[in-house]
Short mmCIF file of all heavy atoms in Angstrom, two decimals:
data_model
loop_
_atom_site.label_atom_id
_atom_site.label_comp_id
_atom_site.label_asym_id
_atom_site.label_seq_id
_atom_site.Cartn_x
_atom_site.Cartn_y
_atom_site.Cartn_z
N ALA A 77 -46.41 4.79 22.12
CA ALA A 77 -45.79 5.37 23.28
C ALA A 77 -44.69 4.51 23.96
O ALA A 77 -43.81 5.02 24.54
CB ALA A 77 -46.83 5.72 24.35
N ILE A 78 -44.80 3.15 23.82
CA ILE A 78 -43.86 2.35 24.69
C ILE A 78 -43.14 1.30 23.92
O ILE A 78 -42.08 0.80 24.43
CB ILE A 78 -44.67 1.72 25.87
CG1 ILE A 78 -45.72 0.79 25.39
CG2 ILE A 78 -45.19 2.80 26.82
CD1 ILE A 78 -46.39 0.04 26.46
N SER A 79 -43.54 0.81 22.75
CA SER A 79 -42.89 -0.32 22.18
C SER A 79 -41.52 -0.07 21.56
O SER A 79 -40.70 -0.92 21.39
CB SER A 79 -43.84 -0.96 21.09
OG SER A 79 -43.87 -0.16 19.93
N GLY A 80 -41.37 1.19 21.16
CA GLY A 80 -40.08 1.52 20.51
C GLY A 80 -40.05 1.27 19.03
O GLY A 80 -38.98 1.47 18.37
N LYS A 81 -41.17 0.81 18.43
CA LYS A 81 -41.16 0.40 17.01
C LYS A 81 -40.82 1.61 16.09
O LYS A 81 -40.07 1.43 15.06
CB LYS A 81 -42.47 -0.14 16.67
CG LYS A 81 -42.77 -1.53 17.20
CD LYS A 81 -44.16 -2.15 16.74
CE LYS A 81 -44.31 -3.50 17.29
NZ LYS A 81 -45.65 -4.06 16.87
N GLU A 82 -41.30 2.80 16.46
CA GLU A 82 -40.99 3.94 15.63
C GLU A 82 -39.53 4.27 15.60
O GLU A 82 -38.91 4.63 14.64
CB GLU A 82 -41.86 5.12 16.10
CG GLU A 82 -43.22 5.30 15.44
CD GLU A 82 -43.75 6.66 15.55
OE1 GLU A 82 -43.99 7.16 16.68
OE2 GLU A 82 -44.05 7.27 14.50
N GLY A 83 -38.95 4.17 16.83
CA GLY A 83 -37.53 4.46 16.97
C GLY A 83 -36.71 3.51 16.06
O GLY A 83 -35.79 3.92 15.42
N PHE A 84 -37.02 2.20 16.15
CA PHE A 84 -36.29 1.21 15.35
C PHE A 84 -36.52 1.50 13.84
O PHE A 84 -35.61 1.25 13.04
CB PHE A 84 -36.74 -0.17 15.71
CG PHE A 84 -36.15 -0.69 16.97
CD1 PHE A 84 -36.80 -0.62 18.16
CD2 PHE A 84 -34.80 -1.15 17.02
CE1 PHE A 84 -36.21 -1.14 19.36
CE2 PHE A 84 -34.16 -1.66 18.13
CZ PHE A 84 -34.89 -1.64 19.29
N HIS A 85 -37.73 1.88 13.43
CA HIS A 85 -37.98 2.22 12.03
C HIS A 85 -37.08 3.35 11.56
O HIS A 85 -36.52 3.23 10.49
CB HIS A 85 -39.52 2.67 11.89
CG HIS A 85 -39.75 3.29 10.53
ND1 HIS A 85 -39.92 2.54 9.40
CD2 HIS A 85 -39.89 4.60 10.23
CE1 HIS A 85 -40.16 3.38 8.35
NE2 HIS A 85 -40.19 4.62 8.85
N TRP A 86 -36.99 4.42 12.33
CA TRP A 86 -36.15 5.53 11.98
C TRP A 86 -34.62 5.22 12.05
O TRP A 86 -33.85 5.82 11.32
CB TRP A 86 -36.51 6.83 12.74
CG TRP A 86 -37.83 7.31 12.22
CD1 TRP A 86 -39.06 7.32 12.85
CD2 TRP A 86 -38.08 7.89 10.93
NE1 TRP A 86 -40.01 7.86 12.05
CE2 TRP A 86 -39.50 8.20 10.87
CE3 TRP A 86 -37.28 8.17 9.82
CZ2 TRP A 86 -40.06 8.75 9.74
CZ3 TRP A 86 -37.87 8.73 8.71
CH2 TRP A 86 -39.24 9.01 8.66
N LEU A 87 -34.27 4.36 12.99
CA LEU A 87 -32.89 3.89 13.05
C LEU A 87 -32.49 3.21 11.70
O LEU A 87 -31.47 3.50 11.17
CB LEU A 87 -32.67 2.92 14.20
CG LEU A 87 -31.35 2.19 14.24
CD1 LEU A 87 -30.18 3.16 14.49
CD2 LEU A 87 -31.38 1.10 15.35
N ASN A 88 -33.37 2.32 11.23
CA ASN A 88 -33.08 1.66 9.95
C ASN A 88 -33.02 2.68 8.80
O ASN A 88 -32.18 2.51 7.92
CB ASN A 88 -34.24 0.66 9.67
CG ASN A 88 -34.16 -0.54 10.64
OD1 ASN A 88 -33.06 -0.87 11.18
ND2 ASN A 88 -35.30 -1.16 10.91
N LYS A 89 -33.85 3.67 8.81
CA LYS A 89 -33.82 4.68 7.79
C LYS A 89 -32.51 5.49 7.76
O LYS A 89 -31.90 5.80 6.78
CB LYS A 89 -35.04 5.66 7.93
CG LYS A 89 -36.36 5.07 7.51
CD LYS A 89 -36.44 4.86 6.05
CE LYS A 89 -37.88 4.41 5.61
NZ LYS A 89 -37.94 4.08 4.25
N ILE A 90 -32.08 5.82 8.96
CA ILE A 90 -30.80 6.59 9.17
C ILE A 90 -29.64 5.73 8.62
O ILE A 90 -28.81 6.22 7.86
CB ILE A 90 -30.60 6.94 10.61
CG1 ILE A 90 -31.64 7.98 11.07
CG2 ILE A 90 -29.15 7.41 10.92
CD1 ILE A 90 -31.62 8.23 12.57
N LEU A 91 -29.63 4.45 8.98
CA LEU A 91 -28.51 3.58 8.56
C LEU A 91 -28.54 3.29 7.02
O LEU A 91 -27.51 3.00 6.42
CB LEU A 91 -28.56 2.28 9.36
CG LEU A 91 -28.22 2.41 10.87
CD1 LEU A 91 -28.24 1.12 11.62
CD2 LEU A 91 -26.86 3.14 11.10
#
Side-chain angles (χ1 to χ4, degrees):
I78 60 173
S79 72
K81 288 182 179 179
E82 272 199 298
F84 281 99
H85 167 76
W86 286 109
L87 171 64
N88 291 332
K89 287 291 184 184
I90 291 169
L91 296 178

